[in-house]
Amino acid sequence: MTDVLTPVLSAGWADDRAWTLDAYTRRGGYRALAKALTTTPAELIDLVKESGLRGRGGAGFPTGMKWSFIPKDNPNPTYLVVNADESEPGTCKDIPLMMASPHTLVEGVIIASRAIEAERAFIYVRGEVLHVVRRLRAAVREAYEAGHLGRDIGGSGMNLDVVVHAGAGAYICGEETALLDSLEGRRGQPRLRPPFPAVAGLYASPTVINNVESIASVPAIVEHGIEWFGSMGTEKSKGFTLYSLSGHVKRPGQYEAPLGITLRELLELGGGMRPSPDGTDAELKFWTPGGSSTPILTAEHLDVPLDYEGVGAAGSMLGTKALQVFDQTTSVVRCVLRWTEFYKHESCGKCTPCREGTWWLVQVLRRLDSGQGRAGDIELLQELCGNILGRSFCALGDGATSPITSAIQYFRDEFESGMHTPSAELFPPVASTLFATEATA
Amino acid sequence: MSVFDEATVGELRELMGRYPQARSALLPMLHLLQSVEGHVSTAGIELCAELLDLSAAEVSGVATFYTMYKRRPMGTHHVGVCTNTLCAVMGGDAIFERLSDHLGVGHDETTEDGQVTLERVECNAACDFAPVMMVNWEFFDRQDPASAVELVDRLRDGEQVASPRGAEITSWREAERVLAGFEDGRVDEGPAAGDASLVGLEIANERGWSAPVADSAASAAQESKGEAVAEADTQRAESETVAEESGADVEGGAGDRQEASGGGSEPQAEGKADD
């Protein structure tokens, strides 16, 4: 057995001036790059393929396989694009990684670019995180100055230029083809596939798009090998990953562990649920395993292994491992309404099921939240979700239905209460707040 | 185009030169125009259109798609309160309500003195610090209604305010310049990480836990660990070294939880994730 927590990505975050090239190099940074520069691109792709690394941005697609889809005979240049548009509600792992250790990402970008033979790479970071943008830009500048970027890197003949590109506030740009449109200077709307980005991505050229954490995991795999990587995690979900615990817990934060840890174990490490405002022990009511687009789970799922297969078997998705935990003071109807308002706000408008459907969902949920629900509203919600799921242009629409259908599955009576009683009466919002104890005292 | 001086036009062209295709610079260019004008004006849209050989309608379509672009003049400071679900539940709704009362403005409105534009913002990827506020896109963690009021009052009084996980607060326009792609020399301000980001690492260090030591890397790692103990942040470096020497398991791990993990669903189609 490996240890319960296995900091790799987060190991250096407490170091003095961890964001600098100096600090990163002192900890062994850019050793993996030196090794990669003496390895052929094909060998690098095989290594990452065999490591079993799967995408950490939510879908869990094997990273090495994605790389191998890049055609060898395409006359256009190949691009690497890092999806650093972390915006899925509950998800908060890439931002601290890039803030504390941007060089981990930059080193991963260089190695990945070598593997797919790209000479240009882009880091598309959401715009609403000023200090992270500063840290990324400085890290890229330092990497140029150290000769890790630019022409003939480390005497290997490899060339690479990296641009840090700040977005401008649009959740949809986390969808990889919408991100590409945005990076081309357009409205961020998803593209029809095929063709897939591997064949016709940025500027209609072969493109690999990977999540920050996926790319940042590559240097450690290159340095320590696939057996080391596979000694963590489970058979089909290998390696270490960042779990982000938030909400009504004593110690919210980032917990880096082998894939397959359970929420019960994570909660125990952090001292459990917060004390309830009335002094009793708080009870876990519901939680998301990987952001708001993954169906909610309940206390009966505390022992589900948090890996791709385990969470899938429990009827949800591992997603981004964003564990948002809510206790018994929380109205599930209020939460579902707020998430749905988010999807309505962020729907790009390209396809009808999502654009219109999320608008209607909000209307019905507002009624239920204010105790004005009508007979048949629950069935209406389910019908609307049925008309969105699988019928919208991209995964945003699918994600919008997840909290609704799962919440009705586990808490139908609360939606029924919405026919006559406002959620704020059943669950006074002040009791759920961080400052509840002072507020109610 | 007389609204913009030559220096601005030069910087817009510089941004265009950073990309294989100039239109990719449109988002940064709009950020830069906001830093110059305090919002995206019609003149700014026309300038971008001219430089990129696009129609004004095409540029306008982009400028109105993204929430960070403002078509009306902004206050000196942008104050965002996260009212997405988790932050709202943890207190974001109460914070927004109190600030709105205190400032006498609603969502996306600016105070009469022109100091503060208040906005409800969506999840800002800091849920472990909830409830979160942003000032000019810098983090202010674990806020409550009273601390939020104090923060905006200090901003309006022109007091020096620094983000606990970022730099000193300047102005929304100066922030927009950095987002456009021009460094401001403040990268070394603030810590590497906030406390919540370090929770797992601290627990691991307390208990002597670490990632396994790889055979091939063991000797190199040992050398550098020796230096690390001598040099820096002694307590955690020592506990890590101790953990490694005590022989953290290299084997095992894989498969231990296989019985529990049931039906292996196939990896989903690429790009399924929204993040």
Side-chain angles (χ1 to χ4, degrees):
Chain A
M1 270 299 278
T2 47
D3 289 339
V4 179
L5 295 177
T6 52
V8 176
L9 299 171
S10 60
W13 292 3
D15 293 359
D16 186 37
R17 292 167 59 83
W19 62 90
T20 59
L21 180 67
D22 258 10
Y24 185 63
T25 310
R26 219 179 305 134
R27 193 168 257 284
Y30 289 104
R31 272 207 304 247
L33 173 61
K35 202 168 161 183
L37 288 176
T38 60
T39 311
T40 66
E43 284 168 342
L44 282 173
I45 290 179
D46 285 344
L47 180 87
V48 173
K49 229 184 200 174
E50 283 163 28
S51 76
L53 173 65
R54 293 170 63 176
R56 302 292 195 239
F61 194 83
T63 305
M65 202 183 295
K66 216 177 200 186
W67 294 3
S68 70
F69 291 156
I70 292 292
K72 296 288 164 232
D73 51 356
N74 193 306
N76 292 333
T78 299
Y79 296 106
L80 175 71
V81 177
V82 177
N83 185 346
D85 192 50
E86 182 167 65
S87 313
E88 165 83 8
T91 307
C92 51
K93 64 193 178 67
D94 297 336
I95 294 301
L97 189 157
M98 294 185 286
M99 177 100 89
S101 189
H103 282 284
T104 311
L105 177 62
V106 173
E107 187 179 15
V109 165
I110 307 168
I111 297 171
S113 296
R114 178 171 177 83
I116 63 167
E117 299 181 71
E119 297 203 338
R120 304 282 298 240
F122 299 88
I123 300 173
Y124 185 109
V125 58
R126 66 182 299 185
E128 302 99 320
V129 285
L130 177 61
H131 212 50
V132 172
V133 174
R134 282 197 188 100
R135 294 261 162 98
L136 283 172
R137 288 200 201 289
V140 167
R141 173 173 42 77
E142 282 188 307
Y144 270 106
E145 288 161 5
H148 299 321
L149 287 175
R151 318 299 296 169
D152 192 22
I153 296 166
S156 67
M158 175 188 172
N159 305 321
L160 180 65
D161 286 309
V162 174
V163 171
V164 175
H165 181 95
Y171 167 67
I172 186 62
C173 293
E175 199 282 336
E176 61 179 17
T177 61
L179 188 154
L180 292 177
D181 261 32
S182 179
L183 184 52
E184 290 181 359
R186 302 167 196 278
R187 297 163 74 93
Q189 294 189 316
R191 299 175 178 176
L192 187 66
R193 284 169 292 196
F196 287 94
V199 178
L202 185 66
Y203 313 131
S205 300
T207 303
V208 164
I209 305 149
N210 284 138
N211 167 260
V212 168
E213 189 188 346
S214 312
I215 290 289
S217 299
V218 169
I221 294 171
V222 169
E223 188 178 358
H224 301 305
I226 57 176
E227 278 176 36
W228 169 83
F229 187 70
S231 73
M232 291 171 268
T234 58
E235 193 191 333
K236 286 183 178 168
S237 301
K238 291 190 195 301
F240 50 83
T241 197
L242 290 163
Y243 291 94
S244 311
L245 204 55
S246 63
H248 293 137
V249 299
K250 271 203 188 113
R251 293 187 80 181
Q254 305 300 317
Y255 294 74
E256 193 172 359
L259 279 159
I261 196 168
T262 65
L263 179 58
R264 186 186 302 282
E265 290 172 292
L266 286 166
L267 279 174
E268 276 168 9
L269 290 174
M273 300 291 289
R274 67 164 190 172
S276 194
D278 61 9
T280 60
D281 282 345
E283 287 163 35
L284 172 64
K285 182 173 174 181
F286 63 97
W287 54 290
T288 67
S292 59
S293 302
T294 58
I296 62 167
L297 297 173
T298 65
E300 70 180 271
H301 304 104
L302 272 167
D303 296 310
V304 168
L306 297 173
D307 58 15
Y308 300 99
E309 292 71 34
V311 183
S316 188
M317 287 169 65
L318 183 63
T320 54
K321 305 146 289 139
L323 309 161
Q324 306 175 86
V325 178
F326 298 91
D327 70 14
Q328 80 282 5
T329 64
T330 317
S331 159
V332 76
V333 175
R334 176 187 177 206
C335 288
V336 169
L337 167 61
R338 193 59 61 91
W339 277 320
T340 309
E341 287 174 330
F342 165 76
Y343 290 109
K344 169 186 164 273
H345 182 245
E346 299 298 330
S347 175
C348 77
K350 179 162 183 159
C351 76
T352 309
C354 176
R355 183 187 62 243
E356 305 296 317
T358 52
W359 189 89
W360 281 109
L361 287 169
V362 166
Q363 306 310 306
V364 179
L365 283 164
R366 278 192 184 149
R367 290 205 290 263
L368 289 164
D369 184 59
S370 58
Q372 312 277 309
R374 299 173 197 162
D377 269 355
I378 296 174
E379 291 71 27
L380 181 57
L381 285 175
Q382 288 171 322
E383 193 191 328
L384 283 164
C385 287
N387 282 325
I388 298 171
L389 182 68
R391 290 175 161 84
S392 40
F393 202 84
C394 80
L396 189 148
D398 297 346
T401 69
S402 290
I404 300 171
T405 45
S406 57
I408 293 174
Q409 179 188 343
Y410 296 117
F411 300 100
R412 192 182 177 102
D413 54 339
E414 244 178 78
F415 287 84
E416 275 161 9
S417 301
M419 312 284 174
H420 47 76
T421 315
S423 75
E425 222 173 286
L426 294 168
F427 300 94
V430 68
S432 303
T433 63
L434 186 69
F435 36 88
T437 325
E438 301 108 85
T440 50
Chain B
M1 299 303 149
S2 56
V3 188
F4 301 97
D5 59 15
E6 274 178 41
T8 302
V9 176
E11 285 181 338
L12 290 169
R13 287 190 194 281
E14 185 188 334
L15 291 173
M16 289 161 61
R18 293 182 186 179
Y19 297 86
Q21 294 186 12
R23 182 171 178 168
S24 280
L26 182 51
L27 266 62
M29 289 164 80
L30 292 169
H31 280 304
L32 186 67
L33 291 178
Q34 295 206 122
S35 80
V36 174
E37 276 205 287
H39 67 296
V40 177
S41 68
T42 304
I45 284 173
E46 283 167 358
L47 176 61
C48 286
E50 186 190 299
L51 289 170
L52 293 170
D53 198 18
L54 298 170
S55 71
E58 283 172 294
V59 176
S60 189
V62 173
T64 52
F65 184 83
Y66 298 91
T67 53
M68 289 179 77
Y69 298 133
K70 308 298 180 189
R71 295 300 315 272
R72 282 174 291 158
M74 288 281 288
T76 307
H77 301 291
H78 174 266
V79 172
V81 180
C82 178
T83 53
N84 200 298
T85 308
L86 188 116
C87 273
V89 165
M90 300 299 287
D93 278 355
I95 292 170
F96 184 86
E97 208 174 305
R98 178 81 69 88
L99 277 185
S100 180
D101 279 355
H102 181 72
L103 296 170
V105 295
H107 165 71
D108 206 17
E109 291 176 4
T110 302
T111 53
E112 268 178 30
D113 62 3
Q115 285 288 321
V116 171
T117 301
L118 183 66
E119 190 180 348
R120 294 172 179 275
V121 299
E122 297 296 1
C123 184
N124 224 96
C127 316
D128 44 351
F129 294 95
V132 169
M133 278 175 65
M134 308 298 295
V135 176
N136 304 335
W137 305 117
E138 293 269 22
F139 289 108
F140 286 82
D141 305 324
R142 280 193 292 269
Q143 295 294 301
D144 59 51
S147 69
V149 164
E150 191 196 325
L151 175 60
V152 296
D153 282 349
R154 290 178 64 201
L155 291 169
R156 295 172 93 190
D157 291 345
E159 285 182 40
Q160 278 199 350
V161 176
S163 158
R165 278 195 294 145
E168 196 181 303
I169 297 303
T170 51
S171 69
W172 176 77
R173 284 166 67 162
E174 283 166 271
E176 281 292 318
R177 183 175 169 79
V178 178
L179 296 179
F182 299 98
E183 290 193 71
D184 66 352
R186 293 186 180 275
V187 64
D188 291 332
E189 294 180 30
D195 53 3
S197 307
L198 300 175
V199 161
L201 183 61
E202 275 165 15
I203 294 170
N205 287 338
E206 279 161 21
R207 307 203 186 181
W209 290 337
S210 69
V213 181
D215 287 334
S216 57
S219 55
Q222 237 155 26
E223 277 171 39
S224 68
K225 288 295 171 190
E227 287 166 27
V229 172
E231 268 175 33
D233 194 3
T234 49
Q235 208 181 352
R236 45 180 306 285
E238 273 165 21
S239 66
E240 252 183 26
T241 310
V242 169
E244 287 177 7
E245 280 166 0
S246 70
D249 290 346
V250 178
E251 290 169 19
D256 281 348
R257 289 200 174 87
Q258 280 314 294
E259 304 100 317
S261 67
S265 56
E266 289 302 306
Q268 309 213 2
E270 66 176 316
K272 163 81 173 152
D274 280 315
D275 194 313

